[in-house]
Amino acid sequence: MGTQDPGNMGTGVPASEQISSAKEDPQVYCPEETGGTKDVQVTDCKSPEDNRPQKETGCCNPEDSGQLMASYEGKAMGYQVPPFGWRICLAHEFTEKRKPFQANNVSLRNMIKHIGMGLRYLQWWYRKTQVEKKTPFIDMINSVPLRQIYGCPLGGIGGGTITRGWRGQFCRWQLNPGMYQHRTVIADQFTVCLRREGQTVYQQVLSLERPSVLRSWNWGLCGYFAFYHALYPRAWTVYQLPGQNVTLTCRQITPILPHDYQDSSLPVGVFVWDVENEGDEALDVSIMFSMRNGLGGGDDAPGGLWNEPFCLEHGGETVQGLLLHHPTLPNPYTMAVAARVTADTTVTHITAFDPDSTGQQVWQDLLQDGQLDSPAGQSTPTQKGVGIAGAVCVSSKLEPRGQCRLEFSLAWDMPRILFGAKGQVHYRRYTRFFGQDGDAAPALSHYALCRYTEWEERISAWQSPVLDDRSLPAWYKSALFNELYFLADGGTVWLEVREDSLPEELGRNMCHLCPTLRDYGRFGYLEGTGCWWAGIWQIVSSFPSLYTYLMPIPCLPSVSAPAALATLREDLTRRRYLMSGVMAPVKRRNVIPHDIGDPDDEPWLRVNAYLIHDTADWKDLNLKFVLQVYRDYYLTGDQNFLKDMWPVCLAVMESEMKFDKDHDGLIENGGYADQTYDGWVTTGPSAYCGGLWLAAVAVMVQMAALCGAQDIQDKFSSILHRGQEAYERLLWNGRYYNYDSSSQPQSRSVMSDQCAGQWFLKACGLGEGETEVFPTPHVVRALQTIFELNVQAFAGGAMGAVNGMQPHGVPDKSSVQSDEVWVGVVYGLAATMIQEGLTWEGFQTAEGCYRTVWERLGLAFQTPEAYCQQRVFRSLAYMRPLSIWAMQLALQQQQHKKDSRPKVEQGTGLRTGPMFGPKEAMANVSPE
């Protein structure tokens, strides 16, 4: 777009989000000469501790960002960077370095208890990795190491993702579905070149790295004058260039858009560079975007990689760039690095260079005139073991005190995928709109560069009600949106469903789901990047987070259908389960599968990759499915969906009945870890599973009434009445519900997740008044006890809620999970507190988790399942923390209650979508 007035830049960011850039020069920089041109400025960055200038008030808010911005020495705040989000100086170093949980972190007592499981695991791990050459679903031997580097991922939902770290490195790749490569590719960089009066005066790779390759490039950016700001699905990096009176703001945009099932599926990202000249001299500015073809690993080794330039003009808009063809089987793809051509910009390229060389040719090419040579034609396919990279450069003139904009896109086209078993061919969701032939990268690039301003306007409209609400703390606004990264970067797949692949059961028993699957396809994600199975159904902590009216996810029934179909099937193949050593079938009929499969095998076709326990005997899986079905109906008002799911709910609840051995209306746990907490033994009636049971029975009463099944309604009403009496008699102790009813010492532990059933009921508009299941005074007292013991008496109240706490204030160490903090459970607990009017306690509880993960441990955009008070974390990049959106729902419900009173009260104006309740009750509510 060239030089223009900043008021006309059109980012779609409302005025309330904008912060103008400071106009002062940096106080510290270290110029030295290069061998190229004597006028070129480069920086050698050292810590300016001894001569740091006094920070200006308002430069950054330590209360909101912890110490993450303490190292920032610049004054520039960037171009239209919003005030809320996760912000960190590029020079920041996290002092606490934790390690992943491994066998040596297990206490001697617990190790003795699980020695058989350990031996069976080692045998299974060896066979999986050394014989089958597959990735183990949980790798306790080679856990993903701690890398405190990750930022917002690029890419929509289900098309693969590429994560760009907060220091600018491209460092986490999920192009093959569900399979991750944690590799920083050095050649993937942005480089800036500034020229005055025809001479290059400054040329710098915008990276703090000092690699052993491409050594002719000027590395080692001074991180004290740059910062990163993330508010998913966008991120900003601000660079104050030492001594140049120039500020660069790189804005990264991914199309995650509520209720948009086209653009949200696109495998694209956009980088918009706003360049501000704060000096009195005109400048020529160039940004070069270099990219390696592949990651430099085993997938590249066979050779045959090649690049070619392209130019696509459509609708009066022109996009130029490079196509990086990566034909390696089984999932070939093409990457496109592109830029938008305007009247004020020049786009040039270099088709191929060696990313493992010194890089002198590329560097000198850019240094000479701020542009690249732009050779015509495609490159020669690479030989075995030889790498190849390319680069695209955009140049523009920059008037004194002026601004200009340079626009890049990154797109990848892997339309046809095979999972690890290399059996069935699948096509990604975006191919419905851009074709299945593998030639869509230019069109994807053009579409992204022409539509990103509209995307930003829609993102701002979605986020602004929360961001503009002054009653909400800044950390919560950051957590709420940034935890959404997992929707796209959770090993997510979103696939088309072929007509000939629709199961026969759909036509017979679930006929209304056929149109849903045709329209929305199949959707699934991993439990975590350290847990290699897809479409997890056992994690109730995530269920209240997945509200389609609050979050941009595929249609909820399309998520429920695979579990429903798998429930009615069986796989009687026998296998040995690791915890017990017992041989049992893979899948029994009329029980919910634990998962819909391993991406390194053939998910949807072969379910239940998890084999630590035989989950057919778990007490909570069936219950959570029933609760989810009612949740989906409650949000959509879809009667047809309820009719399709009703027989499945009946089947799984009948299967669950066998766990009520004394017929008192309350199920019993079996004396082992037979539920989601799969390392924490539970015996007899328990607070967690018993509460979920009563909640599921209560929604069965509601669904039976809706389906006109009076006899079934009466049956479950009777069970509910008896179960409530037993639950209170056996578990309530006057302050909280006991962990279980066994004679073991841990039976009196205070479990942070004991109110999960009530949480879910309240989220679905039940659990009070005529639909009350748990006495409200008991629920409130239990939550207060949890806050006093599990939160405030643990780690000074600064790390969230520990899973189990003994009544005298010492963490329960009876299992490997009882003394952990589960981040998603904490967010769910906070939501429950808000539902019951304990709003301050809820926010205090959740804040401890956010501060620990995002500010203290450096685990941004890889929130783990769990961490302990000291030393370790477990299972990075986990799905359960999405439950922070249950807090948002609880706040909206509280506001709705206030608004429904005769006297309208002021409160948190939290509306990011339609209010809760069946669609019929939402007729007068705006859908956005």
Side-chain angles (χ1 to χ4, degrees):
M1 295 176 65
T3 304
Q4 54 180 286
D5 184 86
N8 296 323
M9 298 293 273
T11 65
V13 181
S16 61
E17 296 183 27
Q18 298 175 9
I19 295 180
S20 61
S21 173
K23 301 298 181 183
E24 292 82 8
D25 291 339
Q27 299 297 310
V28 180
Y29 71 97
C30 311
E32 58 183 46
E33 294 183 0
T34 67
T37 305
K38 66 178 181 180
D39 296 323
V40 177
Q41 294 278 322
V42 300
T43 58
D44 183 20
C45 182
K46 297 180 181 179
S47 172
E49 291 283 350
D50 298 332
N51 56 350
R52 289 182 179 179
Q54 186 69 33
K55 286 188 180 293
E56 290 187 352
T57 303
C59 213
C60 66
N61 187 345
E63 183 179 351
D64 292 342
S65 59
Q67 296 301 310
L68 304 184
M69 285 291 287
S71 299
Y72 185 58
E73 292 301 320
K75 296 181 179 179
M77 287 291 100
Y79 187 78
Q80 295 186 339
V81 181
F84 300 111
W86 182 70
R87 185 173 295 191
I88 183 170
C89 175
L90 267 59
H92 181 78
E93 293 288 346
F94 290 97
T95 57
E96 187 166 353
K97 309 290 185 182
R98 292 204 168 195
K99 293 183 178 180
F101 182 90
Q102 293 182 312
N104 59 1
N105 300 117
V106 180
S107 69
L108 179 60
R109 175 186 173 187
N110 284 317
M111 191 173 292
I112 292 173
K113 287 195 297 185
H114 297 302
I115 190 168
M117 188 268 190
L119 292 174
R120 285 185 288 272
Y121 174 81
L122 289 174
Q123 292 174 340
W124 172 84
W125 182 90
Y126 180 84
R127 184 175 68 253
K128 192 78 172 176
T129 59
Q130 304 304 311
V131 179
E132 299 177 17
K133 304 298 182 182
K134 295 284 188 178
T135 303
F137 68 81
I138 291 182
D139 195 339
M140 295 288 289
I141 310 300
N142 300 303
S143 299
V144 176
L146 173 65
R147 301 180 73 201
Q148 298 163 314
I149 63 174
Y150 297 115
C152 273
L154 291 155
I157 298 173
T161 47
I162 300 171
T163 296
R164 186 169 182 246
W166 52 269
R167 282 178 169 162
Q169 62 273 67
F170 290 82
C171 52
R172 184 171 64 196
W173 308 75
Q174 190 250 142
L175 299 179
N176 287 306
M179 308 301 290
Y180 279 84
Q181 292 180 276
H182 300 82
R183 180 191 295 266
T184 296
V185 182
I186 290 298
D188 299 353
Q189 301 291 343
F190 286 102
T191 299
V192 60
C193 174
L194 302 180
R195 293 171 58 80
R196 290 186 176 93
E197 298 180 351
Q199 295 291 321
T200 298
V201 296
Y202 182 90
Q203 188 161 299
Q204 173 73 51
V205 184
L206 296 172
S207 169
L208 278 65
E209 301 277 358
R210 295 179 182 272
S212 59
V213 297
L214 302 177
R215 299 190 66 175
S216 293
W217 296 16
N218 183 29
W219 298 90
L221 175 76
C222 188
Y224 292 95
F225 295 95
F227 70 87
Y228 178 85
H229 183 96
L231 188 66
Y232 188 76
R234 293 187 291 175
W236 294 255
T237 311
V238 177
Y239 305 87
Q240 185 174 333
L241 302 184
Q244 302 304 314
N245 291 324
V246 170
T247 297
L248 309 176
T249 303
C250 175
R251 190 167 73 259
Q252 174 183 313
I253 306 132
T254 289
I256 302 294
L257 308 167
H259 317 304
D260 185 323
Y261 299 138
Q262 174 175 320
D263 290 7
S264 293
S265 72
L266 302 183
V268 297
V270 175
F271 298 96
V272 179
W273 290 82
D274 289 305
V275 186
E276 299 173 273
N277 182 3
E278 295 146 8
D280 296 323
E281 297 180 80
L283 284 169
D284 292 323
V285 59
S286 300
I287 300 288
M288 180 179 74
F289 185 8
S290 55
M291 178 69 62
R292 182 176 188 133
N293 189 336
L295 311 187
D299 289 346
D300 302 354
L305 315 182
W306 56 285
N307 302 343
E308 65 173 329
F310 78 93
C311 178
L312 178 59
E313 182 178 357
H314 179 74
E317 296 284 354
T318 301
V319 168
Q320 291 180 215
L322 285 180
L323 299 178
L324 315 180
H325 298 287
H326 196 281
T328 305
L329 298 175
N331 297 322
Y333 66 91
T334 296
M335 192 85 68
V337 179
R340 188 178 185 178
V341 180
T342 72
D344 300 311
T345 61
T346 301
V347 178
T348 56
H349 70 271
I350 182 166
T351 306
F353 68 90
D354 184 353
D356 300 312
S357 68
T358 64
Q360 183 174 8
Q361 176 188 354
V362 182
W363 190 259
Q364 291 297 325
D365 189 1
L366 183 64
L367 189 71
Q368 182 177 1
D369 58 3
Q371 297 183 13
L372 299 174
D373 283 345
S374 299
Q378 66 187 48
S379 67
T380 302
T382 60
Q383 298 297 310
K384 184 177 181 179
V386 177
I388 183 175
V392 174
C393 177
V394 184
S395 308
S396 182
K397 295 188 179 298
L398 190 56
E399 299 300 326
R401 306 287 173 177
Q403 291 90 16
C404 71
R405 173 169 295 174
L406 313 175
E407 301 155 299
F408 293 88
S409 68
L410 181 63
W412 51 99
D413 184 24
M414 183 190 284
R416 174 185 180 275
I417 60 170
L418 293 170
F419 289 104
K422 301 179 182 177
Q424 298 182 359
V425 175
H426 303 272
Y427 291 93
R428 297 190 190 264
R429 166 74 177 184
Y430 76 88
T431 61
R432 174 175 296 204
F433 316 108
F434 284 85
Q436 301 178 349
D437 297 331
D439 57 0
L444 285 165
S445 303
H446 190 282
Y447 187 84
L449 285 167
C450 293
R451 295 294 290 271
Y452 79 84
T453 53
E454 177 192 330
W455 293 343
E456 290 199 273
E457 290 169 0
R458 293 165 63 187
I459 291 169
S460 292
W462 165 45
Q463 295 182 337
S464 289
V466 172
L467 301 179
D468 293 343
D469 190 335
R470 295 188 177 186
S471 69
L472 295 174
W475 70 263
Y476 172 77
K477 298 174 183 180
S478 171
L480 188 69
F481 292 111
N482 283 326
E483 290 289 7
L484 281 178
Y485 83 94
F486 196 87
L487 278 181
D489 198 23
T492 311
V493 289
W494 192 358
L495 306 175
E496 291 288 89
V497 177
R498 301 192 314 272
E499 189 71 27
D500 59 1
S501 69
L502 290 172
E504 294 181 3
E505 294 94 326
L506 283 177
R508 294 196 306 266
N509 304 318
M510 305 177 192
C511 58
H512 298 103
L513 283 180
C514 286
T516 298
L517 285 174
R518 289 192 196 101
D519 290 344
Y520 298 103
R522 285 175 171 159
F523 174 81
Y525 51 44
L526 300 175
E527 180 178 339
T529 60
C531 303
W532 294 95
W533 47 73
I536 298 306
W537 300 99
Q538 94 283 11
I539 310 294
V540 75
S541 297
S542 73
F543 283 3
S545 73
L546 299 180
Y547 287 94
T548 189
Y549 290 124
L550 299 181
M551 292 164 56
I553 66 168
C555 179
L556 286 173
S558 74
V559 179
S560 306
L565 290 169
T567 299
L568 304 177
R569 298 173 179 170
E570 62 183 3
D571 180 352
L572 299 180
T573 305
R574 299 178 69 80
R575 62 182 179 181
R576 190 175 304 280
Y577 287 90
L578 299 181
M579 185 66 77
S580 65
V582 171
M583 296 289 291
V586 171
K587 168 70 175 63
R588 298 182 218 172
R589 195 185 305 276
N590 293 340
V591 294
I592 295 296
H594 172 279
D595 55 83
I596 54 98
D598 181 350
D600 207 19
D601 184 29
E602 193 63 61
W604 285 287
L605 180 63
R606 287 186 284 275
V607 302
N608 276 355
Y610 176 91
L611 49 63
I612 294 178
H613 293 279
D614 179 5
T615 59
D617 288 329
W618 274 17
K619 307 307 182 287
D620 56 347
L621 277 182
N622 293 332
L623 309 177
K624 293 169 183 178
F625 175 77
V626 172
L627 291 168
Q628 175 182 324
V629 166
Y630 186 77
R631 185 276 317 270
D632 291 359
Y633 163 73
Y634 181 75
L635 288 173
T636 64
D638 188 341
Q639 293 277 356
N640 290 328
F641 168 73
L642 185 63
K643 291 177 181 177
D644 279 351
M645 292 293 105
W646 174 239
V648 184
C649 291
L650 277 175
V652 299
M653 288 300 283
E654 286 296 329
S655 175
E656 193 80 11
M657 294 286 190
K658 64 180 179 289
F659 300 130
D660 180 10
K661 299 185 182 301
D662 56 5
H663 306 291
D664 63 350
L666 189 64
I667 61 171
E668 292 89 40
N669 289 89
Y672 68 101
D674 53 355
Q675 27 73 37
T676 293
Y677 296 86
D678 55 357
W680 196 354
V681 172
T682 315
T683 303
S686 67
Y688 175 67
C689 291
L692 290 174
W693 162 256
L694 293 179
V697 171
V699 302
M700 286 296 289
V701 172
Q702 299 294 318
M703 288 193 287
L706 290 165
C707 293
Q710 185 63 51
D711 55 338
I712 297 176
Q713 182 182 356
D714 293 342
K715 173 184 175 179
F716 281 101
S717 294
S718 175
I719 294 172
L720 180 61
H721 178 75
R722 289 183 284 117
Q724 286 174 287
E725 188 278 329
Y727 189 80
E728 297 296 323
R729 171 170 47 84
L730 295 171
L731 296 168
W732 179 251
N733 64 23
R735 294 178 61 205
Y736 59 91
Y737 292 99
N738 288 337
Y739 176 71
D740 64 20
S741 55
S742 71
S743 59
Q744 299 300 316
Q746 68 267 22
S747 69
R748 295 276 294 178
S749 288
V750 185
M751 187 187 194
S752 64
D753 210 7
Q754 64 185 267
C755 295
Q758 173 71 357
W759 167 36
F760 206 93
L761 287 174
K762 275 290 191 75
C764 293
L766 304 173
E768 58 186 341
E770 294 182 356
T771 61
E772 182 180 86
V773 174
F774 310 95
T776 298
H778 289 187
V779 172
V780 173
R781 185 69 185 97
L783 292 172
Q784 290 171 335
T785 301
I786 293 168
F787 185 71
E788 293 164 8
L789 292 176
N790 300 60
V791 180
Q792 291 186 312
F794 175 73
M799 293 184 72
V802 67
N803 281 343
M805 180 68 83
Q806 297 181 51
H808 54 283
V810 176
D812 179 351
K813 294 181 181 285
S814 64
S815 81
V816 295
Q817 294 173 334
S818 53
D819 66 341
E820 292 181 325
V821 177
W822 286 15
V823 180
V825 168
V826 173
Y827 288 151
L829 170 63
T832 314
M833 291 174 171
I834 293 168
Q835 289 170 344
E836 303 300 333
L838 303 174
T839 303
W840 180 84
E841 290 85 349
F843 274 95
Q844 287 290 111
T845 299
E847 182 178 1
C849 270
Y850 174 81
R851 301 284 188 195
T852 299
V853 170
W854 290 77
E855 297 179 357
R856 175 179 156 191
L857 302 184
L859 299 179
F861 298 99
Q862 52 179 332
T863 305
E865 176 187 19
Y867 55 79
C868 293
Q869 186 171 353
Q870 297 176 333
R871 296 191 300 276
V872 299
F873 60 83
R874 186 166 58 78
S875 191
L876 288 175
Y878 202 77
M879 54 92 82
R880 190 182 278 119
L882 287 170
S883 62
I884 192 170
W885 278 81
M887 293 179 65
Q888 184 68 10
L889 180 73
L891 288 165
Q892 291 188 185
Q893 288 177 317
Q894 292 295 94
Q895 182 63 39
H896 178 68
K897 289 180 180 178
K898 293 179 181 180
D899 292 343
S900 299
R901 295 171 184 168
K903 180 180 178 180
V904 178
E905 300 180 16
Q906 294 295 320
T908 56
L910 305 176
R911 300 267 306 267
T912 62
M915 300 299 288
F916 31 84
K919 190 170 291 185
E920 295 82 1
M922 298 160 55
N924 296 321
V925 181
S926 169
E928 292 291 347

